[in-house]
Amino acid sequence: MKPKKPRLILFGGNRKNEDGPLLELALKIKDRFDVMVFTDQFRINLPTKNGEIFRKRLNENNIKWKLLEKFDHKIIKKYIDDSTIGISIGSLWFFKQDIIDEFKGNFFNYHNTRLPIERGVSAYTWKILSNNREGGITLHKIEEELDVGDIVAQKRFRFPKKCLIQKQYYEFISQIEVKFIMDFLLTGMKKKPMKQKESESTYWPKLDTSLHGFINWDWTAKDIETFIRAFDEPHQGAVTFYDRKRVHLKNCNYKKERLRFHPFQNGLVFRILKGKVHIAANGGSLIIKDVRDEKNNEIINEIRLGHRFFTPISFLEKAMIVRSSYKDEEKKYSRKN
């Protein structure tokens, strides 16, 4: 008779259009653990790498899962015994002490940055905005307060210069993160946890492209280039207006110009060459290769010389004032069970 496999409960899901981290981890470790996934309406309907939604991939691979409309302690408790390990991976839930205590110290969160630096969410948008290439992935004990628990495993590295947009950062960490989590589960759980240094901590809030991704054309050209890259794939693209229509800009490069532009020229299209739009900005030009409308249709061929990209001040002020939550994202992907 085979010995009973220890149970591993995974809370959360994948990144959009990827198999990782959760699905890939579940597939690779299900021979060693009895895997159970708890997820939510937002994550269960996200597309995976092959375009199929998360729900379908779990079913196809015979991975047990349960959708929680809201986090229910009583439901979770039924699946926990003395050997159960819990890991939160991209979960939208904040865990209370009653459920934390059920795991008897074996409840962890995977955070794809180098804690205690870069606590919070939208970490890679903030990282690009900060021009910061120092990277890390972390597993830490879950506490009621976000991202503050003792570190049980961490790997630090530096992102290569070829990583310019968030999608490329994710592609880089996807090569190492599942092995990192598996190594911890199989060989690293007896290592002594390490307390986080509060003096080194930073926290950055969640960003929503449709709310916070508006371009301020008074910024320098270099800062605008960085901003557009920060909201590039897998996001919709940085937001502004063209001929009073909301548009998204991606695939941007800064160019230093011999010409000096007056601030009144900022945002004006002064050259269109080989399918690329050249826009005047403070300290140089922005060369854009991808312009899309709100329905994600490519409209770069509709851009005309002498027309202006512009963002009304009301949108810029709202981006600075209003905080985001996952509720709006949940609506985008919610479907009937």
Side-chain angles (χ1 to χ4, degrees), residues 11-158:
F11 297 88
N14 296 334
R15 293 183 292 264
K16 183 181 176 183
N17 296 323
E18 294 190 44
D19 286 348
L22 193 148
L23 177 62
E24 184 183 347
L25 173 65
L27 290 172
K28 289 186 175 181
I29 209 161
K30 66 179 184 177
D31 291 339
R32 301 284 197 101
F33 287 85
D34 174 19
V35 177
M36 177 69 190
V37 174
F38 285 97
T39 189
D40 56 80
Q41 191 68 58
F42 169 59
R43 295 291 185 194
I44 199 64
N45 290 307
L46 278 181
T48 59
K49 190 174 183 179
N50 69 1
E52 294 179 344
I53 62 171
F54 186 45
R55 176 201 304 262
K56 186 174 181 181
R57 297 291 301 282
L58 290 171
N59 290 335
E60 287 174 345
N61 290 283
N62 298 314
I63 297 171
K64 293 178 291 185
W65 64 276
K66 193 171 186 63
L67 176 69
L68 298 181
E69 296 293 342
K70 62 179 181 178
F71 195 84
D72 191 325
H73 179 193
K74 293 179 181 178
I75 292 175
I76 305 296
K77 186 177 178 180
K78 295 176 184 178
Y79 293 85
I80 301 173
D81 59 29
D82 290 340
S83 67
T84 302
I85 301 168
I87 301 182
S88 173
I89 302 177
S91 169
L92 309 185
W93 296 304
F94 288 85
F95 300 98
K96 298 296 185 182
Q97 196 62 47
D98 54 2
I99 193 66
I100 296 172
D101 290 341
E102 294 286 351
F103 284 92
K104 297 180 173 57
N106 288 325
F107 196 15
F108 311 100
N109 179 59
Y110 170 65
H111 191 81
N112 61 5
T113 71
R114 51 194 179 114
L115 293 178
I117 301 169
E118 299 168 322
R119 289 175 179 168
V121 289
S122 302
Y124 281 84
T125 303
W126 291 111
K127 180 182 286 294
I128 295 168
L129 289 173
S130 303
N131 288 303
N132 184 350
R133 294 196 171 274
E134 296 301 320
I137 49 180
T138 307
L139 278 164
H140 67 91
K141 292 201 170 191
I142 288 180
E143 295 187 11
E144 284 192 310
E145 190 177 346
L146 184 67
D147 296 338
V148 303
D150 291 354
I151 293 170
V152 294
Q154 187 171 75
K155 183 179 181 66
R156 295 199 176 202
F157 47 83
R158 186 170 178 82

Side-chain angles (χ1 to χ4, degrees), residues 16 31 49 89 148 162 184 197 235 272 290 292 306:
K16 183 181 176 183
D31 291 339
K49 190 174 183 179
I89 302 177
V148 303
K162 66 181 180 181
F184 170 72
K197 295 181 180 179
H235 303 296
I272 299 176
D290 192 339
R292 296 179 182 265

